[in-house]
Each structure stands twice: as structure tokens, then as C-alpha cells.
Amino acid sequence: MEQFRRLCAGMDCDFREKSAFVYTLQDGEILRQEMQVLQEIGAPIRYHDTLPLPFPVAGGIELPGQAQFHPLKFAYELARQLPIREHTPVEVLNGTRAVCANGCSVQAKAVIVTTHFPFLKWRGAYFMKLYQHRSYVLALSGAQDVAGMYIDGVEGGLSFRNAGDLLLLGGGGHRTGKRGGGWQELQEFAKRYYPRALEVGRWAAQDCMPLDDMPYIGRYGAGEEPVYVATGFHKWGMTGAMSAAMALCDLVRGKENPYASLFDPRRSMLHPQLLANGWEAGVRLLWPSLRRCSHMGCALKWNGQEHTWDCLCHGSRFSQQGRCLEGPARKDLGK
Ligand code: FES
């Protein structure tokens, strides 16, 4: 938070300090556990029996002094200070020499891979330790000022926040390639609770989900060359990115970092989610289908809401015509 406050000062990125709330509809036990942990680390929390949401809650925990900002405005302001080369995807990494698709190459002292899903197919085994989760947002005008940022403590719940005059309603999520509520779930909710509101925008995004809920920040894989990665933020990309930046600044310069072992991508993979990922990939690899993913060959599923071909194995997505929209796949579908 301190780093964001410092960076955003004087930036045109809609930075606003707000309280963050975790609520539940029924399960008070989740809140009790959350409160216990927050109290242990000395967080200045407040408990609420009711919240300014359009439905009754079992309770909510407020964590004051949090913030929201406009991520694209923020990225644009940062980008203005950096040399950035677009449309030159790296095909191969030889040590710390990056070779691009057009044949040019760049030799670096250290390389940090931040391509959302790491782009090197086998190295580091990220195809086993990550999957992608898709979630949806509606922007509503004439809905409600909720004066904070709200998230359901239970998987699959809704989130609420305001941006300017709009209410951003999030939810409907599912593993990419599986069925989920999508925008339809959000539209039904808005119709019921904000019947006079107008939908002025909607979008979807997807996140890389690690095996144990902790991001992978550190050495890309086995090997001694200085190649690093930051991925698997488990939907906490804004705060996770800052943690990654701080940890990687130290690691690249050969300094100790107190969180390095916690985030180390080479930590044990023994976790129930590894079995779930393996099962899903095995089923989709054997599934008979003519439409197969250009990443590792899993059968693709048609996404009727977004008119795309989606891959359940690691979350690649393709347009109706087969153009690659999202990785880890990097090639279009064959004709
Ligand atoms: Fe890996 Fe499709 S994303 S096989």
C-alpha cells in the first residue's frame, strides 16, 4: 500500500483510499477465521452485522486504509517512463538471450518473464501447477454507491465496488473451459436488486491460479541462469504485482528477501489441486474432438456467451475463426 500510495501520488489514475470488506451470506465461521488471522497480524479491523449491500449478510469485516485505482491509467503512466517494444514476441530464451519471432535478439543480465501464463512450455512445469479462472463484471449506472470494496468470503460469490458513478458488479466465475454463471448470473442479480439500473458495460478477465493460493515469484525453474518469473496471483494481481516487484528487485540484485522462500516457484507441488489439474488435463487430452488446442492438444469447448473456443487444461482461448486470443497457446488453430 505504501509503495502504491507513493507511486500514484501525482498520477492521473483515479487512486482512492477505501475500506475493503469481506462478507458472507451464511457462514459466520469463515469470518471468525478471517478475523482471527487479521487480529494476529495487528490489522485494524472492524466487524459489522449489516452492510450497505442490497441483501442481508451474516456479517462483514472491514479493513480500512485500502485503495482502488484504474489499472490501465496506472500502467499508461508507468509505461511513459519505460522503453517498450511491442509486437516482438520472444520465441526462445537461450540463457538470458531472448530471440524474437522476427529474428532479432536481446542479451540481458537478467530476464523476468511476466507473460501472465509463463510462455516457456515445459520449463518450470507451469502447465501442471497453474490453471486459469474466468470471471465477469458488469458496469451499472443508476445502481448504488456502496462506499467501499466488497468481496464474498465464499468461492463463487459476488463483488461490489464503485468507479465514478458506476457500480461494478463482479462474479459468475468458473474455471476457463467449464460452464459458469457468466454475465447472465450478474444480469439476473442486477434485474432483481437494481431494477432501474442500466448496464453500460461488461467484460471478462481470467486469472492464473496456483496450486496453494500463493503466487509464484522467483527463479523460473531449475538452472542457475538469472531467469525469473511472476505469475499465479490468484486474483490478487494488483497487490501481488507490487509484492513481486519488491521481491524481484532484491533477487535480481542478489539481495536477501524475507518472502523469497514463501513465493519460490520451485517449492513443493504436492497439493490436492495438482491431482485436480492432472485429472482435467487427462480427460480433455483423451476427449474426442476435432477442435484441439495448439498448446498441448486438449479438446476445446465452445463458449456460447463469448463466442470463443476455450481450453479447460490451461485456459487458452481462440476466436470462432481459430485466432489465438489468450495463452499459454501461442499459435492459431490449424485449418
Ligand atoms: Fe494447454 Fe490448451 S491451454 S492444452
Side-chain angles (χ1 to χ4, degrees):
M1 277 298 300
E2 282 308 316
Q3 294 291 344
F4 272 121
R5 224 177 254 127
R6 186 180 59 77
L7 269 179
C8 293
M11 256 190 199
D12 174 21
C13 67
D14 305 342
F15 182 89
R16 304 265 184 284
E17 288 216 13
K18 294 201 172 184
S19 288
F21 296 82
V22 182
Y23 70 88
T24 65
L25 298 182
Q26 285 154 359
D27 194 348
E29 182 54 28
I30 287 183
L31 287 189
R32 269 189 288 282
Q33 287 174 10
E34 185 84 5
M35 271 182 68
Q36 201 180 343
V37 174
L38 288 166
Q39 277 163 347
E40 271 171 31
I41 61 171
I45 51 168
R46 290 195 278 264
Y47 181 81
H48 298 269
D49 290 324
T50 59
L51 292 175
L53 293 175
F55 44 72
V57 296
I61 303 170
E62 176 183 1
L63 185 57
Q66 305 303 296
Q68 65 178 44
F69 59 83
H70 191 307
L72 288 184
K73 288 185 182 177
F74 177 77
Y76 176 72
E77 291 273 352
L78 286 185
R80 290 207 299 188
Q81 304 160 30
L82 300 169
I84 291 179
R85 215 169 264 269
E86 293 181 282
H87 311 299
T88 46
V90 173
E91 290 283 305
V92 187
L93 261 188
N94 291 326
T96 53
R97 176 176 290 278
V99 183
C100 303
N102 63 6
C104 74
S105 69
V106 181
Q107 176 68 52
K109 282 188 190 156
V111 173
I112 300 175
V113 177
T114 52
T115 52
H116 194 59
F117 202 110
F119 81 103
L120 299 170
K121 201 190 236 175
W122 303 106
R123 199 153 135 198
Y126 291 94
F127 65 93
M128 289 165 72
K129 50 193 193 188
L130 283 177
Y131 71 95
Q132 296 202 62
H133 196 270
R134 200 150 181 79
S135 44
Y136 301 79
V137 181
L138 291 187
L140 303 171
S141 79
Q144 184 188 7
D145 183 353
V146 290
M149 306 173 292
Y150 298 78
I151 189 165
D152 192 332
V154 176
E155 188 91 8
L158 299 176
S159 70
F160 301 78
R161 74 182 61 204
N162 292 97
D165 296 338
L166 301 175
L167 174 71
L168 305 185
L169 176 64
H174 55 86
R175 182 172 175 140
T176 304
K178 286 203 163 180
R179 285 175 82 85
W183 290 307
Q184 199 181 341
E185 179 185 328
L186 300 177
Q187 283 161 338
E188 280 164 15
F189 178 90
K191 208 161 136 192
R192 179 167 172 202
Y193 290 100
Y194 303 116
R196 295 196 185 162
L198 195 66
E199 181 186 324
V200 297
R202 63 178 184 173
W203 63 95
Q206 60 188 41
D207 291 90
C208 290
M209 310 295 274
L211 295 175
D212 55 4
D213 301 353
M214 293 295 291
Y216 300 124
I217 302 165
R219 293 272 180 177
Y220 194 102
E224 285 310 306
E225 69 270 41
V227 176
Y228 301 88
V229 70
T231 186
F233 291 124
H234 197 253
K235 305 197 175 203
W236 293 95
M238 289 178 175
T239 42
M242 182 58 81
S243 305
M246 293 165 73
L248 289 170
C249 270
D250 284 346
L251 294 179
V252 165
R253 291 183 296 174
K255 285 189 179 174
E256 290 280 310
N257 183 281
Y259 306 110
S261 61
L262 193 64
F263 295 141
D264 190 344
R266 298 166 301 179
R267 64 187 181 265
S268 168
M269 296 192 340
L270 294 179
H271 195 275
Q273 186 60 40
L274 182 67
L275 287 180
N277 289 354
W279 169 259
E280 298 285 10
V283 170
R284 297 308 291 172
L285 276 170
L286 297 174
W287 200 267
S289 168
L290 288 177
R291 287 275 174 181
R292 307 212 76 93
C293 181
S294 62
H295 179 228
M296 287 184 171
C298 288
L300 296 173
K301 258 200 159 169
W302 178 244
N303 173 344
Q305 281 208 52
E306 298 181 83
H307 298 272
T308 53
W309 290 99
D310 296 353
C311 184
L312 199 147
C313 288
H314 316 106
S316 295
R317 299 177 61 246
F318 303 87
S319 72
Q320 192 163 2
Q321 292 71 32
R323 192 166 57 84
C324 182
L325 303 172
E326 280 188 68
R330 301 166 71 200
K331 294 199 178 103
D332 296 342
L333 301 180
K335 301 283 178 224

